[in-house]
Amino acid sequence: MKIVNNRLVAEATTEKISQYQSPNKGGLIVPEYLIIHYTAGRSAESSVATFMNPAEKKSAHLVIGRDGSIHQMMDFTRKAWHAGVSHWGALDGLNSYSIGIELDNPGKLTKVNGKYVAWFGKAYPESDVLEAQHKNQTHKAFWHTYTEAQLEACIAVSKVLVKKYGLKDILGHDDIAPDRKEDPGPAFPMASFKAHVMGRDDLALPMYEVVKSLVNVRKGPGLDYEVITQLQKGATVTFLDAQNGWFKVQLNGDHPEGLGWIHNTLIAKKQL
């Protein structure tokens, strides 16, 4: 994909891009940052409808569906209403300095009678749920995970945006409004996402080697999470994110579990 006149244009048949003109917008801006959100909504379509409704008085530049579809709501040089009361460094009101991407995701879930339920009543399967502690909080909670197609689309469009507008950094809504916002939350792999977008490919992601025998790989960042597999000394993993001394890693080789958490004292950075 590419940007023409501050609008996304598909360059491949696999790139699904829809264009809209949201009435919920301000004046022209010179964007400096990219802000990642989750919609906390029912679907990408419902979020687009919200951003097209003048009565809602909210919007973002992009909505990315769970199938990887991209919905552009306004030009990237037009102020969207996504950040609200926000601060970063010496800047106040990040709407005036940023491009906002909303990922279709209900956000925090509540466990009710063995089901994981969003605020609007929809239940999600356990396979799509991560139990983790938000970086700005002191307790664990349940979070809906993002899809591979969604993250791949977000990486692709973010690379184009960073290059086109010379953006300085990528931030979460929970970075610029930590006292009131939780998105994109711990299910979003911010560290590896930044590594992908800000000029590092897969091979540049840190590789670690297991330094102990039979190291437990857990479902979440803590000893109270269940063990999903064990790794032998010398096995390698790819770093994705960190939380409270635990590393979220991609399990290399033939591991159906795919992702897991290992305490950082049990692995060491591999010298390539």
Side-chain angles (χ1 to χ4, degrees):
M1 69 188 75
K2 61 183 178 180
I3 296 175
V4 178
N5 295 326
N6 300 303
R7 287 272 170 170
L8 285 175
V9 176
E11 293 187 295
T13 57
T14 56
E15 295 171 347
K16 298 170 283 187
I17 301 173
S18 301
Q19 294 289 348
Y20 304 83
Q21 288 285 357
S22 172
N24 303 333
K25 58 190 176 183
L28 296 176
I29 64 170
V30 178
E32 299 180 32
Y33 293 93
L34 183 62
I35 310 299
I36 307 297
H37 307 252
Y38 57 55
T39 60
R42 294 172 172 81
S43 66
E45 292 72 22
S46 69
S47 295
V48 169
T50 294
F51 293 153
M52 290 296 291
N53 184 351
E56 292 288 347
K57 297 182 180 180
K58 61 179 71 171
S59 60
H61 294 91
L62 298 176
V63 175
I64 300 181
R66 298 186 68 75
D67 63 351
S69 58
I70 300 171
H71 310 265
Q72 184 169 1
M73 308 304 300
M74 67 187 68
D75 292 359
F76 294 120
T77 52
R78 183 70 63 175
K79 181 193 288 189
W81 301 338
H82 60 98
V85 178
S86 51
H87 314 276
W88 188 253
L91 300 179
D92 291 329
L94 269 291
N95 284 340
S96 298
Y97 306 97
S98 65
I99 293 169
I101 296 180
E102 295 269 359
L103 300 174
D104 175 27
N105 184 295
K108 184 182 285 187
L109 306 174
T110 302
K111 191 173 184 179
V112 180
N113 297 325
K115 296 182 178 180
Y116 300 90
V117 183
W119 65 269
F120 46 83
K122 182 177 178 179
Y124 295 89
E126 186 176 6
S127 59
D128 293 343
V129 177
L130 171 70
E131 185 180 9
Q133 180 180 318
H134 192 284
K135 64 184 180 181
N136 297 334
Q137 298 172 352
T138 58
H139 58 279
K140 290 184 293 186
F142 300 105
W143 308 85
H144 195 224
T145 56
Y146 299 90
T147 69
E148 183 177 351
Q150 191 174 36
L151 292 174
E152 287 179 352
C154 194
I155 287 170
V157 71
S158 297
K159 285 182 176 180
V160 174
L161 291 170
V162 168
K163 182 177 180 180
K164 174 68 175 180
Y165 298 104
L167 303 180
K168 297 176 181 177
D169 203 356
I170 302 168
L171 304 168
H173 202 185
D174 49 10
D175 292 317
I176 62 173
D179 56 334
R180 63 185 187 87
K181 291 296 180 180
E182 300 174 326
D183 54 313
F188 185 79
M190 183 62 82
S192 60
F193 181 81
K194 282 190 181 185
H196 280 289
V197 173
M198 306 301 282
R200 296 170 62 182
D201 59 23
D202 286 342
L203 295 177
L205 292 172
M207 190 79 70
Y208 282 76
E209 185 174 8
V210 174
V211 296
K212 302 287 185 180
S213 298
L214 293 179
V215 165
N216 290 332
V217 181
R218 297 182 180 271
K219 192 173 182 180
L223 293 174
D224 51 342
Y225 290 95
E226 69 175 282
V227 176
I228 59 174
T229 191
Q230 289 184 316
L231 297 179
Q232 297 285 349
K233 184 176 181 179
T236 60
V237 296
T238 302
F239 172 86
L240 298 176
D241 211 343
Q243 188 177 136
N244 299 330
W246 291 78
F247 284 179
K248 184 179 183 181
V249 297
Q250 173 74 49
L251 306 182
N252 300 329
D254 186 19
H255 285 282
E257 298 83 5
L259 303 176
W261 293 81
I262 301 176
H263 196 270
N264 62 15
T265 59
L266 303 176
I267 51 179
K269 194 167 186 180
K270 187 173 177 62
Q271 300 301 316
L272 301 178

